[in-house]
């Protein structure tokens, strides 16, 4: 399965990516997670990306594309992957098509998580992420047993810098201008499945697994 998850910031891509990737036994490749790991380690890539991320802008394509190309060439991605957060612009989608064509494969499906903006703002305002395993929690919708501590590995939870109200507003604008055109791009190629991503996390996961099942049978 070669799958892309697309949707506005806070739609639940990272949350669902964990479950869907596990269900299909493919690696989850999140450009946001890779950038954040580089920022926290202070690498040259992280230093380049940080200012863009803090403003809620997209990191320039040349930086992002090289990074994804390298990650997709690793062994674990040879037989499938779930991309979370890439592509995010039509030019990035062209590059992904080219990268896959070079190795003679194609995308199977693009799953769009559909959620209204007011729900997205509620989700992002209460998000907490584990510093060690990156598991995603929410203070109201999916709280850990002990505040500030990850149930899975005891790691400290943090509130992302780009989840401040003014940054969220900019990220939503950037999504509408730069990323939303991807929806048509993939619909025209017959790859798009739109998924209602409202309601409890488990219900959304079940809907996603049901929507992807016919593709799994085809393989
Ligand atoms: P990235 O990390 O990809 O951020 P994003 O796309 O804005 O998406 P988020 O991670 O904010 O949200 P999500 O949809 O994953 O939601 P989540 O599951 O966490 O990118 C960050 C930055 O990196 C970008 O702004 C950009 O600067 C840069 N970048 C990344 N990729 C790039 C690219 N390709 N090109 C250029 N720049 C790039 O859920 C949110 C919250 O809601 C959580 O608390 C969760 O618990 C809760 N939740 C989830 N589902 C539900 C539900 N069903 N009900 C209630 N709560 C829910």
């Amino acid at each position: 399965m070669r799958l892309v998850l697309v949707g506005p910031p806070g739609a639940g891509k990272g949350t669902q990516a964990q479950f869907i990737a596990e269900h299909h036994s493919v690696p989850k490749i999140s450009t946001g997670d890779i950038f954040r790991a580089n920022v926290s380690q202070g690498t040259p890539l992280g230093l380049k990306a940080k200012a863009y991320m803090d403003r809620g802008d997209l990191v320039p394509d040349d930086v992002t594309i090289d990074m994804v190309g390298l990650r997709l060439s690793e062994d674990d991605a040879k037989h499938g992957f779930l991309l979370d957060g890439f592509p995010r612009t039509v030019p990035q989608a062209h590059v992904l098509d080219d990268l896959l064509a070079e190795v003679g494969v194609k995308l199977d499906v693009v799953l769009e998580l559909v959620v209204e903006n007011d729900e997205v703002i509620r989700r992002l305002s209460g998000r907490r992420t584990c510093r060690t395993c990156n598991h995603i929690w929410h203070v109201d919708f999916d709280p850990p047993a002990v505040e500030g501590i990850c149930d899975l590995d005891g790691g400290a939870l943090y509130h992302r810098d780009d989840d401040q109200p003014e940054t969220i507003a900019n990220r939503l604008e950037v999504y509408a201008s730069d990323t939303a055109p991807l929806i048509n791009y993939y619909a025209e190629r017959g790859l798009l499945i739109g998924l209602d991503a409202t309601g409890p996390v488990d219900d959304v996961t079940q809907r996603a697994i049901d929507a992807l099942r016919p593709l799994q049978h085809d393989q």
Side-chain angles (χ1 to χ4, degrees), residues 9-15 31-32 35-36 53 57-59 64 85-86 88 92 123 127 136-138 141 160 171 199 201:
K13 300 183 298 295
T15 302
T31 42
F35 282 135
R36 278 184 290 279
M53 296 174 76
D57 289 335
L58 295 183
V59 178
T64 307
F86 185 94
R88 233 176 167 96
Q92 289 185 7
R123 290 184 182 184
R127 170 166 56 192
I136 301 161
W137 302 92
H138 191 284
F141 304 137
R160 274 171 45 177
R171 288 163 64 200
V201 169

PDB file of all heavy atoms in Angstrom, residues 9-15 31-32 35-36 53 57-59 64 85-86 88 92 123 127 136-138 141 160 171 199 201, ligand 1:
ATOM      1  N   PRO A   9      -4.369  21.261   8.947  1.00  0.00           N
ATOM      2  CA  PRO A   9      -3.674  21.065  10.212  1.00  0.00           C
ATOM      3  C   PRO A   9      -4.694  20.687  11.281  1.00  0.00           C
ATOM      4  O   PRO A   9      -5.772  21.281  11.349  1.00  0.00           O
ATOM      5  CB  PRO A   9      -3.060  22.450  10.515  1.00  0.00           C
ATOM      6  CG  PRO A   9      -3.633  23.397   9.536  1.00  0.00           C
ATOM      7  CD  PRO A   9      -4.160  22.596   8.394  1.00  0.00           C
ATOM      8  N   GLY A  10      -4.369  19.687  12.079  1.00  0.00           N
ATOM      9  CA  GLY A  10      -5.268  19.293  13.162  1.00  0.00           C
ATOM     10  C   GLY A  10      -6.410  18.386  12.736  1.00  0.00           C
ATOM     11  O   GLY A  10      -7.259  18.015  13.551  1.00  0.00           O
ATOM     12  N   ALA A  11      -6.447  17.969  11.475  1.00  0.00           N
ATOM     13  CA  ALA A  11      -7.539  17.093  11.021  1.00  0.00           C
ATOM     14  C   ALA A  11      -7.446  15.712  11.661  1.00  0.00           C
ATOM     15  O   ALA A  11      -8.422  14.957  11.681  1.00  0.00           O
ATOM     16  CB  ALA A  11      -7.503  16.962   9.507  1.00  0.00           C
ATOM     17  N   GLY A  12      -6.245  15.374  12.152  1.00  0.00           N
ATOM     18  CA  GLY A  12      -6.056  14.055  12.749  1.00  0.00           C
ATOM     19  C   GLY A  12      -5.170  13.160  11.902  1.00  0.00           C
ATOM     20  O   GLY A  12      -5.154  11.934  12.078  1.00  0.00           O
ATOM     21  N   LYS A  13      -4.375  13.765  11.010  1.00  0.00           N
ATOM     22  CA  LYS A  13      -3.522  12.954  10.125  1.00  0.00           C
ATOM     23  C   LYS A  13      -2.516  12.128  10.940  1.00  0.00           C
ATOM     24  O   LYS A  13      -2.370  10.929  10.722  1.00  0.00           O
ATOM     25  CB  LYS A  13      -2.766  13.858   9.126  1.00  0.00           C
ATOM     26  CG  LYS A  13      -3.680  14.688   8.229  1.00  0.00           C
ATOM     27  CD  LYS A  13      -2.903  15.512   7.224  1.00  0.00           C
ATOM     28  CE  LYS A  13      -1.992  16.534   7.872  1.00  0.00           C
ATOM     29  NZ  LYS A  13      -2.688  17.589   8.622  1.00  0.00           N
ATOM     30  N   GLY A  14      -1.810  12.796  11.856  1.00  0.00           N
ATOM     31  CA  GLY A  14      -0.803  12.085  12.658  1.00  0.00           C
ATOM     32  C   GLY A  14      -1.439  10.999  13.505  1.00  0.00           C
ATOM     33  O   GLY A  14      -0.916   9.881  13.610  1.00  0.00           O
ATOM     34  N   THR A  15      -2.591  11.311  14.092  1.00  0.00           N
ATOM     35  CA  THR A  15      -3.301  10.339  14.940  1.00  0.00           C
ATOM     36  C   THR A  15      -3.686   9.106  14.126  1.00  0.00           C
ATOM     37  O   THR A  15      -3.411   7.962  14.513  1.00  0.00           O
ATOM     38  CB  THR A  15      -4.576  10.998  15.522  1.00  0.00           C
ATOM     39  OG1 THR A  15      -4.193  12.152  16.262  1.00  0.00           O
ATOM     40  CG2 THR A  15      -5.355  10.032  16.398  1.00  0.00           C
ATOM     41  N   THR A  31       6.584  14.241   7.373  1.00  0.00           N
ATOM     42  CA  THR A  31       7.581  15.304   7.174  1.00  0.00           C
ATOM     43  C   THR A  31       7.627  16.223   8.389  1.00  0.00           C
ATOM     44  O   THR A  31       8.697  16.680   8.786  1.00  0.00           O
ATOM     45  CB  THR A  31       7.284  16.095   5.887  1.00  0.00           C
ATOM     46  OG1 THR A  31       5.888  16.334   5.783  1.00  0.00           O
ATOM     47  CG2 THR A  31       7.755  15.345   4.675  1.00  0.00           C
ATOM     48  N   GLY A  32       6.459  16.481   9.005  1.00  0.00           N
ATOM     49  CA  GLY A  32       6.459  17.319  10.207  1.00  0.00           C
ATOM     50  C   GLY A  32       7.298  16.691  11.315  1.00  0.00           C
ATOM     51  O   GLY A  32       8.112  17.366  11.963  1.00  0.00           O
ATOM     52  N   PHE A  35      11.012  17.005  10.438  1.00  0.00           N
ATOM     53  CA  PHE A  35      11.487  18.379  10.686  1.00  0.00           C
ATOM     54  C   PHE A  35      11.635  18.634  12.188  1.00  0.00           C
ATOM     55  O   PHE A  35      12.645  19.187  12.628  1.00  0.00           O
ATOM     56  CB  PHE A  35      10.520  19.408  10.081  1.00  0.00           C
ATOM     57  CG  PHE A  35      10.654  19.591   8.594  1.00  0.00           C
ATOM     58  CD1 PHE A  35       9.536  19.652   7.779  1.00  0.00           C
ATOM     59  CD2 PHE A  35      11.901  19.731   8.007  1.00  0.00           C
ATOM     60  CE1 PHE A  35       9.648  19.832   6.414  1.00  0.00           C
ATOM     61  CE2 PHE A  35      12.033  19.914   6.632  1.00  0.00           C
ATOM     62  CZ  PHE A  35      10.905  19.959   5.843  1.00  0.00           C
ATOM     63  N   ARG A  36      10.625  18.233  12.974  1.00  0.00           N
ATOM     64  CA  ARG A  36      10.693  18.521  14.424  1.00  0.00           C
ATOM     65  C   ARG A  36      11.869  17.801  15.067  1.00  0.00           C
ATOM     66  O   ARG A  36      12.537  18.344  15.936  1.00  0.00           O
ATOM     67  CB  ARG A  36       9.374  18.142  15.119  1.00  0.00           C
ATOM     68  CG  ARG A  36       8.304  19.214  14.988  1.00  0.00           C
ATOM     69  CD  ARG A  36       7.036  18.878  15.750  1.00  0.00           C
ATOM     70  NE  ARG A  36       6.304  17.779  15.154  1.00  0.00           N
ATOM     71  CZ  ARG A  36       5.495  17.901  14.103  1.00  0.00           C
ATOM     72  NH1 ARG A  36       5.302  19.075  13.544  1.00  0.00           N
ATOM     73  NH2 ARG A  36       4.873  16.856  13.598  1.00  0.00           N
ATOM     74  N   MET A  53       8.527  26.891  10.195  1.00  0.00           N
ATOM     75  CA  MET A  53       7.569  26.147  10.999  1.00  0.00           C
ATOM     76  C   MET A  53       6.986  27.033  12.094  1.00  0.00           C
ATOM     77  O   MET A  53       5.790  26.989  12.372  1.00  0.00           O
ATOM     78  CB  MET A  53       8.244  24.920  11.617  1.00  0.00           C
ATOM     79  CG  MET A  53       8.712  23.939  10.573  1.00  0.00           C
ATOM     80  SD  MET A  53       9.648  22.588  11.272  1.00  0.00           S
ATOM     81  CE  MET A  53       8.341  21.599  11.994  1.00  0.00           C
ATOM     82  N   ASP A  57       4.436  28.675   8.147  1.00  0.00           N
ATOM     83  CA  ASP A  57       4.628  28.654   6.692  1.00  0.00           C
ATOM     84  C   ASP A  57       5.198  27.312   6.262  1.00  0.00           C
ATOM     85  O   ASP A  57       5.737  26.565   7.094  1.00  0.00           O
ATOM     86  CB  ASP A  57       5.615  29.756   6.270  1.00  0.00           C
ATOM     87  CG  ASP A  57       5.005  31.148   6.402  1.00  0.00           C
ATOM     88  OD1 ASP A  57       3.756  31.247   6.350  1.00  0.00           O
ATOM     89  OD2 ASP A  57       5.777  32.104   6.561  1.00  0.00           O
ATOM     90  N   LEU A  58       5.135  27.036   4.962  1.00  0.00           N
ATOM     91  CA  LEU A  58       5.740  25.805   4.463  1.00  0.00           C
ATOM     92  C   LEU A  58       7.255  25.971   4.366  1.00  0.00           C
ATOM     93  O   LEU A  58       7.750  27.046   3.995  1.00  0.00           O
ATOM     94  CB  LEU A  58       5.181  25.454   3.079  1.00  0.00           C
ATOM     95  CG  LEU A  58       3.691  25.121   3.031  1.00  0.00           C
ATOM     96  CD1 LEU A  58       3.283  24.728   1.614  1.00  0.00           C
ATOM     97  CD2 LEU A  58       3.343  24.006   4.003  1.00  0.00           C
ATOM     98  N   VAL A  59       7.971  24.914   4.668  1.00  0.00           N
ATOM     99  CA  VAL A  59       9.414  24.883   4.458  1.00  0.00           C
ATOM    100  C   VAL A  59       9.629  24.829   2.936  1.00  0.00           C
ATOM    101  O   VAL A  59       8.856  24.158   2.228  1.00  0.00           O
ATOM    102  CB  VAL A  59      10.016  23.637   5.152  1.00  0.00           C
ATOM    103  CG1 VAL A  59      11.516  23.552   4.918  1.00  0.00           C
ATOM    104  CG2 VAL A  59       9.698  23.665   6.649  1.00  0.00           C
ATOM    105  N   THR A  64      12.544  20.313   1.477  1.00  0.00           N
ATOM    106  CA  THR A  64      11.598  19.242   1.812  1.00  0.00           C
ATOM    107  C   THR A  64      11.748  18.053   0.858  1.00  0.00           C
ATOM    108  O   THR A  64      11.759  16.888   1.284  1.00  0.00           O
ATOM    109  CB  THR A  64      10.160  19.800   1.715  1.00  0.00           C
ATOM    110  OG1 THR A  64      10.094  20.984   2.510  1.00  0.00           O
ATOM    111  CG2 THR A  64       9.147  18.800   2.200  1.00  0.00           C
ATOM    112  N   GLY A  85       1.707  14.458   5.549  1.00  0.00           N
ATOM    113  CA  GLY A  85       2.251  15.820   5.449  1.00  0.00           C
ATOM    114  C   GLY A  85       3.052  16.064   4.184  1.00  0.00           C
ATOM    115  O   GLY A  85       3.597  17.145   4.010  1.00  0.00           O
ATOM    116  N   PHE A  86       3.139  15.105   3.321  1.00  0.00           N
ATOM    117  CA  PHE A  86       3.793  15.252   2.022  1.00  0.00           C
ATOM    118  C   PHE A  86       3.044  14.388   1.017  1.00  0.00           C
ATOM    119  O   PHE A  86       2.743  13.243   1.333  1.00  0.00           O
ATOM    120  CB  PHE A  86       5.262  14.802   2.096  1.00  0.00           C
ATOM    121  CG  PHE A  86       6.013  15.050   0.804  1.00  0.00           C
ATOM    122  CD1 PHE A  86       6.745  16.208   0.633  1.00  0.00           C
ATOM    123  CD2 PHE A  86       5.966  14.122  -0.235  1.00  0.00           C
ATOM    124  CE1 PHE A  86       7.418  16.453  -0.561  1.00  0.00           C
ATOM    125  CE2 PHE A  86       6.622  14.373  -1.428  1.00  0.00           C
ATOM    126  CZ  PHE A  86       7.361  15.537  -1.584  1.00  0.00           C
ATOM    127  N   ARG A  88       2.420  18.501  -0.105  1.00  0.00           N
ATOM    128  CA  ARG A  88       1.625  19.568   0.479  1.00  0.00           C
ATOM    129  C   ARG A  88       1.426  20.696  -0.515  1.00  0.00           C
ATOM    130  O   ARG A  88       0.806  21.704  -0.193  1.00  0.00           O
ATOM    131  CB  ARG A  88       2.422  20.112   1.642  1.00  0.00           C
ATOM    132  CG  ARG A  88       1.692  20.173   2.939  1.00  0.00           C
ATOM    133  CD  ARG A  88       2.737  20.646   3.928  1.00  0.00           C
ATOM    134  NE  ARG A  88       2.152  21.035   5.142  1.00  0.00           N
ATOM    135  CZ  ARG A  88       2.063  20.241   6.190  1.00  0.00           C
ATOM    136  NH1 ARG A  88       2.499  19.013   6.156  1.00  0.00           N
ATOM    137  NH2 ARG A  88       1.533  20.702   7.290  1.00  0.00           N
ATOM    138  N   GLN A  92       5.123  19.591  -5.215  1.00  0.00           N
ATOM    139  CA  GLN A  92       5.608  18.421  -4.449  1.00  0.00           C
ATOM    140  C   GLN A  92       4.946  17.140  -4.957  1.00  0.00           C
ATOM    141  O   GLN A  92       5.580  16.070  -4.999  1.00  0.00           O
ATOM    142  CB  GLN A  92       5.324  18.593  -2.945  1.00  0.00           C
ATOM    143  CG  GLN A  92       6.188  19.658  -2.272  1.00  0.00           C
ATOM    144  CD  GLN A  92       5.961  19.726  -0.768  1.00  0.00           C
ATOM    145  OE1 GLN A  92       5.252  18.913  -0.178  1.00  0.00           O
ATOM    146  NE2 GLN A  92       6.580  20.723  -0.136  1.00  0.00           N
ATOM    147  N   ARG A 123      -9.069  21.049  18.283  1.00  0.00           N
ATOM    148  CA  ARG A 123      -8.128  19.918  18.365  1.00  0.00           C
ATOM    149  C   ARG A 123      -6.695  20.411  18.585  1.00  0.00           C
ATOM    150  O   ARG A 123      -5.964  19.872  19.415  1.00  0.00           O
ATOM    151  CB  ARG A 123      -8.210  19.067  17.089  1.00  0.00           C
ATOM    152  CG  ARG A 123      -9.517  18.309  16.982  1.00  0.00           C
ATOM    153  CD  ARG A 123      -9.526  17.409  15.765  1.00  0.00           C
ATOM    154  NE  ARG A 123     -10.811  16.708  15.646  1.00  0.00           N
ATOM    155  CZ  ARG A 123     -11.067  15.807  14.730  1.00  0.00           C
ATOM    156  NH1 ARG A 123     -10.149  15.501  13.837  1.00  0.00           N
ATOM    157  NH2 ARG A 123     -12.248  15.195  14.690  1.00  0.00           N
ATOM    158  N   ARG A 127      -3.857  19.891  21.854  1.00  0.00           N
ATOM    159  CA  ARG A 127      -2.956  18.779  21.506  1.00  0.00           C
ATOM    160  C   ARG A 127      -1.733  18.748  22.429  1.00  0.00           C
ATOM    161  O   ARG A 127      -1.159  19.769  22.760  1.00  0.00           O
ATOM    162  CB  ARG A 127      -2.477  18.925  20.064  1.00  0.00           C
ATOM    163  CG  ARG A 127      -1.348  17.937  19.743  1.00  0.00           C
ATOM    164  CD  ARG A 127      -1.062  17.781  18.300  1.00  0.00           C
ATOM    165  NE  ARG A 127      -0.765  19.021  17.637  1.00  0.00           N
ATOM    166  CZ  ARG A 127      -0.717  19.145  16.296  1.00  0.00           C
ATOM    167  NH1 ARG A 127      -0.982  18.104  15.539  1.00  0.00           N
ATOM    168  NH2 ARG A 127      -0.440  20.300  15.747  1.00  0.00           N
ATOM    169  N   ILE A 136       0.380  11.136  19.976  1.00  0.00           N
ATOM    170  CA  ILE A 136      -0.400  12.373  20.050  1.00  0.00           C
ATOM    171  C   ILE A 136      -1.576  12.190  21.015  1.00  0.00           C
ATOM    172  O   ILE A 136      -2.359  11.239  20.877  1.00  0.00           O
ATOM    173  CB  ILE A 136      -0.934  12.742  18.647  1.00  0.00           C
ATOM    174  CG1 ILE A 136       0.232  12.916  17.671  1.00  0.00           C
ATOM    175  CG2 ILE A 136      -1.762  14.017  18.708  1.00  0.00           C
ATOM    176  CD1 ILE A 136      -0.188  12.828  16.215  1.00  0.00           C
ATOM    177  N   TRP A 137      -1.722  13.129  21.965  1.00  0.00           N
ATOM    178  CA  TRP A 137      -2.818  13.114  22.933  1.00  0.00           C
ATOM    179  C   TRP A 137      -3.605  14.404  22.792  1.00  0.00           C
ATOM    180  O   TRP A 137      -3.190  15.329  22.111  1.00  0.00           O
ATOM    181  CB  TRP A 137      -2.259  13.008  24.360  1.00  0.00           C
ATOM    182  CG  TRP A 137      -1.411  11.794  24.588  1.00  0.00           C
ATOM    183  CD1 TRP A 137      -0.053  11.709  24.437  1.00  0.00           C
ATOM    184  CD2 TRP A 137      -1.849  10.496  24.988  1.00  0.00           C
ATOM    185  NE1 TRP A 137       0.376  10.437  24.718  1.00  0.00           N
ATOM    186  CE2 TRP A 137      -0.701   9.670  25.063  1.00  0.00           C
ATOM    187  CE3 TRP A 137      -3.096   9.938  25.289  1.00  0.00           C
ATOM    188  CZ2 TRP A 137      -0.775   8.327  25.430  1.00  0.00           C
ATOM    189  CZ3 TRP A 137      -3.163   8.610  25.658  1.00  0.00           C
ATOM    190  CH2 TRP A 137      -2.019   7.817  25.721  1.00  0.00           C
ATOM    191  N   HIS A 138      -4.743  14.456  23.490  1.00  0.00           N
ATOM    192  CA  HIS A 138      -5.503  15.709  23.564  1.00  0.00           C
ATOM    193  C   HIS A 138      -6.008  15.851  24.993  1.00  0.00           C
ATOM    194  O   HIS A 138      -6.499  14.873  25.576  1.00  0.00           O
ATOM    195  CB  HIS A 138      -6.676  15.686  22.574  1.00  0.00           C
ATOM    196  CG  HIS A 138      -7.324  17.021  22.413  1.00  0.00           C
ATOM    197  ND1 HIS A 138      -8.177  17.556  23.359  1.00  0.00           N
ATOM    198  CD2 HIS A 138      -7.214  17.965  21.438  1.00  0.00           C
ATOM    199  CE1 HIS A 138      -8.575  18.754  22.956  1.00  0.00           C
ATOM    200  NE2 HIS A 138      -8.002  19.016  21.789  1.00  0.00           N
ATOM    201  N   PHE A 141     -10.074  15.384  24.471  1.00  0.00           N
ATOM    202  CA  PHE A 141     -10.637  14.311  23.633  1.00  0.00           C
ATOM    203  C   PHE A 141      -9.915  12.979  23.809  1.00  0.00           C
ATOM    204  O   PHE A 141     -10.481  11.924  23.534  1.00  0.00           O
ATOM    205  CB  PHE A 141     -10.580  14.707  22.155  1.00  0.00           C
ATOM    206  CG  PHE A 141     -11.275  16.006  21.852  1.00  0.00           C
ATOM    207  CD1 PHE A 141     -10.703  16.941  21.000  1.00  0.00           C
ATOM    208  CD2 PHE A 141     -12.511  16.298  22.410  1.00  0.00           C
ATOM    209  CE1 PHE A 141     -11.345  18.145  20.710  1.00  0.00           C
ATOM    210  CE2 PHE A 141     -13.162  17.501  22.130  1.00  0.00           C
ATOM    211  CZ  PHE A 141     -12.569  18.427  21.282  1.00  0.00           C
ATOM    212  N   ARG A 160       3.001  21.924  21.003  1.00  0.00           N
ATOM    213  CA  ARG A 160       3.835  22.387  19.884  1.00  0.00           C
ATOM    214  C   ARG A 160       3.855  23.914  19.775  1.00  0.00           C
ATOM    215  O   ARG A 160       2.831  24.569  19.978  1.00  0.00           O
ATOM    216  CB  ARG A 160       3.316  21.778  18.573  1.00  0.00           C
ATOM    217  CG  ARG A 160       3.918  20.412  18.323  1.00  0.00           C
ATOM    218  CD  ARG A 160       3.309  19.659  17.183  1.00  0.00           C
ATOM    219  NE  ARG A 160       3.077  20.429  15.959  1.00  0.00           N
ATOM    220  CZ  ARG A 160       2.596  19.882  14.852  1.00  0.00           C
ATOM    221  NH1 ARG A 160       2.315  18.583  14.810  1.00  0.00           N
ATOM    222  NH2 ARG A 160       2.392  20.623  13.782  1.00  0.00           N
ATOM    223  N   ARG A 171      -1.527  28.778   9.455  1.00  0.00           N
ATOM    224  CA  ARG A 171      -1.440  27.431   8.867  1.00  0.00           C
ATOM    225  C   ARG A 171      -2.717  27.102   8.077  1.00  0.00           C
ATOM    226  O   ARG A 171      -2.658  26.461   7.022  1.00  0.00           O
ATOM    227  CB  ARG A 171      -1.199  26.395   9.973  1.00  0.00           C
ATOM    228  CG  ARG A 171       0.226  26.488  10.523  1.00  0.00           C
ATOM    229  CD  ARG A 171       0.369  25.792  11.853  1.00  0.00           C
ATOM    230  NE  ARG A 171       0.146  24.370  11.794  1.00  0.00           N
ATOM    231  CZ  ARG A 171      -0.162  23.631  12.859  1.00  0.00           C
ATOM    232  NH1 ARG A 171      -0.310  24.201  14.051  1.00  0.00           N
ATOM    233  NH2 ARG A 171      -0.315  22.346  12.718  1.00  0.00           N
ATOM    234  N   GLY A 199     -15.945  13.029  14.902  1.00  0.00           N
ATOM    235  CA  GLY A 199     -16.347  11.956  15.813  1.00  0.00           C
ATOM    236  C   GLY A 199     -15.125  11.348  16.477  1.00  0.00           C
ATOM    237  O   GLY A 199     -13.990  11.767  16.237  1.00  0.00           O
ATOM    238  N   VAL A 201     -11.925   9.186  17.741  1.00  0.00           N
ATOM    239  CA  VAL A 201     -10.749   8.715  16.996  1.00  0.00           C
ATOM    240  C   VAL A 201     -10.970   7.294  16.463  1.00  0.00           C
ATOM    241  O   VAL A 201     -10.689   7.007  15.293  1.00  0.00           O
ATOM    242  CB  VAL A 201      -9.502   8.757  17.913  1.00  0.00           C
ATOM    243  CG1 VAL A 201      -8.324   8.038  17.264  1.00  0.00           C
ATOM    244  CG2 VAL A 201      -9.127  10.202  18.237  1.00  0.00           C
TER     245      VAL A 201
HETATM  246  P1  LIG B   1       2.847  18.868  10.289  1.00  0.00           P
HETATM  247  O1  LIG B   1       3.397  18.299  11.520  1.00  0.00           O
HETATM  248  O2  LIG B   1       2.617  17.983   9.126  1.00  0.00           O
HETATM  249  O3  LIG B   1       1.545  19.682  10.681  1.00  0.00           O
HETATM  250  P2  LIG B   1       0.070  19.798  10.036  1.00  0.00           P
HETATM  251  O4  LIG B   1      -0.137  19.276   8.676  1.00  0.00           O
HETATM  252  O5  LIG B   1      -0.279  21.225  10.250  1.00  0.00           O
HETATM  253  O6  LIG B   1      -0.739  18.819  10.806  1.00  0.00           O
HETATM  254  P3  LIG B   1      -0.734  18.628  12.324  1.00  0.00           P
HETATM  255  O7  LIG B   1       0.405  17.735  12.716  1.00  0.00           O
HETATM  256  O8  LIG B   1      -0.834  19.950  13.033  1.00  0.00           O
HETATM  257  O9  LIG B   1      -2.152  17.956  12.547  1.00  0.00           O
HETATM  258  P4  LIG B   1      -2.657  16.499  12.242  1.00  0.00           P
HETATM  259  O10 LIG B   1      -3.629  16.525  11.113  1.00  0.00           O
HETATM  260  O11 LIG B   1      -1.521  15.532  12.173  1.00  0.00           O
HETATM  261  O12 LIG B   1      -3.525  16.255  13.570  1.00  0.00           O
HETATM  262  P5  LIG B   1      -3.219  15.358  14.861  1.00  0.00           P
HETATM  263  O13 LIG B   1      -3.376  13.916  14.530  1.00  0.00           O
HETATM  264  O14 LIG B   1      -1.955  15.795  15.531  1.00  0.00           O
HETATM  265  O15 LIG B   1       3.783  20.052   9.769  1.00  0.00           O
HETATM  266  C1  LIG B   1       4.285  21.041  10.657  1.00  0.00           C
HETATM  267  C2  LIG B   1       5.073  22.072   9.851  1.00  0.00           C
HETATM  268  O16 LIG B   1       6.190  21.419   9.183  1.00  0.00           O
HETATM  269  C3  LIG B   1       4.316  22.756   8.724  1.00  0.00           C
HETATM  270  O17 LIG B   1       3.564  23.868   9.193  1.00  0.00           O
HETATM  271  C4  LIG B   1       5.458  23.180   7.793  1.00  0.00           C
HETATM  272  O18 LIG B   1       6.129  24.313   8.281  1.00  0.00           O
HETATM  273  C5  LIG B   1       6.412  21.990   7.897  1.00  0.00           C
HETATM  274  N1  LIG B   1       6.146  20.957   6.870  1.00  0.00           N
HETATM  275  C6  LIG B   1       5.720  19.683   7.083  1.00  0.00           C
HETATM  276  N2  LIG B   1       5.576  19.036   5.922  1.00  0.00           N
HETATM  277  C7  LIG B   1       5.919  19.917   4.936  1.00  0.00           C
HETATM  278  C8  LIG B   1       5.932  19.854   3.527  1.00  0.00           C
HETATM  279  N3  LIG B   1       5.590  18.726   2.863  1.00  0.00           N
HETATM  280  N4  LIG B   1       6.309  20.958   2.836  1.00  0.00           N
HETATM  281  C9  LIG B   1       6.679  22.083   3.466  1.00  0.00           C
HETATM  282  N5  LIG B   1       6.656  22.224   4.814  1.00  0.00           N
HETATM  283  C10 LIG B   1       6.271  21.151   5.546  1.00  0.00           C
HETATM  284  O19 LIG B   1      -4.481  15.761  15.764  1.00  0.00           O
HETATM  285  C11 LIG B   1      -4.606  17.059  16.323  1.00  0.00           C
HETATM  286  C12 LIG B   1      -5.233  16.941  17.729  1.00  0.00           C
HETATM  287  O20 LIG B   1      -6.577  16.487  17.583  1.00  0.00           O
HETATM  288  C13 LIG B   1      -4.533  15.924  18.665  1.00  0.00           C
HETATM  289  O21 LIG B   1      -4.495  16.438  19.962  1.00  0.00           O
HETATM  290  C14 LIG B   1      -5.428  14.674  18.589  1.00  0.00           C
HETATM  291  O22 LIG B   1      -5.401  13.939  19.821  1.00  0.00           O
HETATM  292  C15 LIG B   1      -6.813  15.301  18.345  1.00  0.00           C
HETATM  293  N6  LIG B   1      -7.668  14.441  17.527  1.00  0.00           N
HETATM  294  C16 LIG B   1      -7.322  13.693  16.446  1.00  0.00           C
HETATM  295  N7  LIG B   1      -8.390  13.054  15.962  1.00  0.00           N
HETATM  296  C17 LIG B   1      -9.438  13.414  16.747  1.00  0.00           C
HETATM  297  C18 LIG B   1     -10.845  13.084  16.757  1.00  0.00           C
HETATM  298  N8  LIG B   1     -11.357  12.232  15.852  1.00  0.00           N
HETATM  299  N9  LIG B   1     -11.609  13.641  17.713  1.00  0.00           N
HETATM  300  C19 LIG B   1     -11.093  14.503  18.635  1.00  0.00           C
HETATM  301  N10 LIG B   1      -9.789  14.835  18.682  1.00  0.00           N
HETATM  302  C20 LIG B   1      -8.983  14.309  17.740  1.00  0.00           C
END
